[in-house]
Amino acid sequence: MYLLQKNFPLKEKNTFGITVLAKDYLSVESETDLPDFFRKNNSAWHQKRLFLGAGSNLLFVSDYKGLVIQPLIMGICLTSENNYEVEVEVGAGVPWDLFVAHCVEKGWHGIENLSLIPGNTGAVPVQNIGAYGVEADSVIKLVKGIDLTTLEKTSFSREACKFEYRSSLFKVQLKEQFMVTSVVFRLSKSPDFKTGYEGLEHKIDQYGKINLQNIRKAIIAIRQSKLPDPAVYGNAGSFFKNPVVPASVAYSLKNSHPELPVYPIGSGVVKLAAGWLIDKAGWKGKSFGKAAVHDKQALVIINKGGASGTEIFRLSELIAEDVLQKFNIHLEREVQIIGA
Ligand code: EPU
């Protein structure tokens, strides 16, 4: 069933907790809802639209004068199983961490390092979420959804999804055109633990032997020690992407700053830590009105309470300008800015 609401308050629908309205807000609970709605509402075709997950990776800088569509399609369904692996189809509206907890309980391996990432499962392939050495595309088999140009159900294999660091076909080429309804994950029944992230093994040791439960506990503890809880301070995780630059640029910067963390990622390019650059530029803990840079992780901007979207956006501009001036590195936002 779908439900259309006018002048809908979005404060509870974005983890920054920004107080804005959507001109129209549509919640959909099944994969037939969206085609039904568009067939019955001609005017909807002329509106700009936004597919909303849990609102954990966007910043509203004004009221949204279009149609916000939120898939609330639920369900976790084991679709195939053999001695080695399982395939599980998960509705776009399922909170991601609920699914991670389910997999850990069932003994299915592959996403334990992605514990506690806020957001709904529908956004997982869009954003190709990643943390602690694991990217979601490593376990995605199929992405299912509705293509709004045809109103038909369409599926994309992993290869067709054009996954990149925090990006995909759905975020770029099919933006505003394709709504994810479910994601099929392929998970292993045997361990292939990824514990290379600095400090992770040590943290796991504190909980006992290495297994799914203890990795999940360790990841949760690490995240909680660095990242603010959106229920306390509104935020959207990393505000910027880690910049990818030519190796020559990275190593010349490392000459002047030997402690700069560098992550070679092949073919002559290197990923830098945006958090380090912002921290080194002196922004950690700094406030700008009711917005601030988190005091434990400089890559995160927080809403101290009652901040406007433009205030947070302005702070991000000041940070990016300063990092450019100090290090000659251009920071790209990971958070999507949603305007009028
Ligand atoms: N650093 C600092 N100061 C800071 C923050 C970081 O010096 O204020 C340094 C750290 O000491 C470390 C390096 O920068 O040497 C990298 O920091 P960290 O390991 O905390 O990870 P990150 O690169 O800042 C990325 C993801 C996070 C993910 C972590 C762990 C991006 C944009 N961010 O952060 O993802 O949780 O790695 O894997 O890729 C998110 O996307 O919302 C997110 C939180």
Side-chain angles (χ1 to χ4, degrees), residues 195-208 210 214 218 222:
T195 57
Y197 180 83
E198 197 191 333
L200 180 56
E201 268 188 33
H202 177 68
K203 197 74 193 170
I204 296 165
D205 280 348
Q206 294 178 6
Y207 294 100
I210 181 164
N214 287 340
I222 293 174

Side-chain angles (χ1 to χ4, degrees), residues 273-325:
W276 186 92
L277 296 167
I278 298 167
D279 188 355
K280 191 76 183 171
W283 285 95
K284 207 177 205 169
K286 286 258 171 76
S287 289
F288 176 79
K290 292 171 182 156
V293 179
H294 187 47
D295 58 0
K296 298 194 187 76
Q297 162 55 291
L299 199 46
V300 178
I301 299 183
I302 60 167
N303 178 356
K304 290 195 295 175
S308 67
T310 43
E311 214 165 17
I312 290 170
F313 181 73
R314 184 66 194 129
L315 174 57
S316 77
E317 280 186 327
L318 293 172
I319 294 169
E321 283 159 17
D322 195 38
V323 166
L324 183 64
Q325 207 213 335

Side-chain angles (χ1 to χ4, degrees), residues 253-262 276 280:
L253 197 57
K254 200 166 170 63
N255 266 339
S256 39
H257 304 280
E259 51 327 344
L260 173 81
V262 290
W276 186 92
K280 191 76 183 171

Side-chain angles (χ1 to χ4, degrees), residues 2 4 26 35-47:
Y2 66 75
L4 180 69
L26 179 76
D36 279 359
F37 172 80
F38 273 90
R39 284 194 189 104
K40 288 179 192 148
N41 293 273
N42 274 335
S43 61
W45 290 104
H46 309 295
Q47 280 184 295

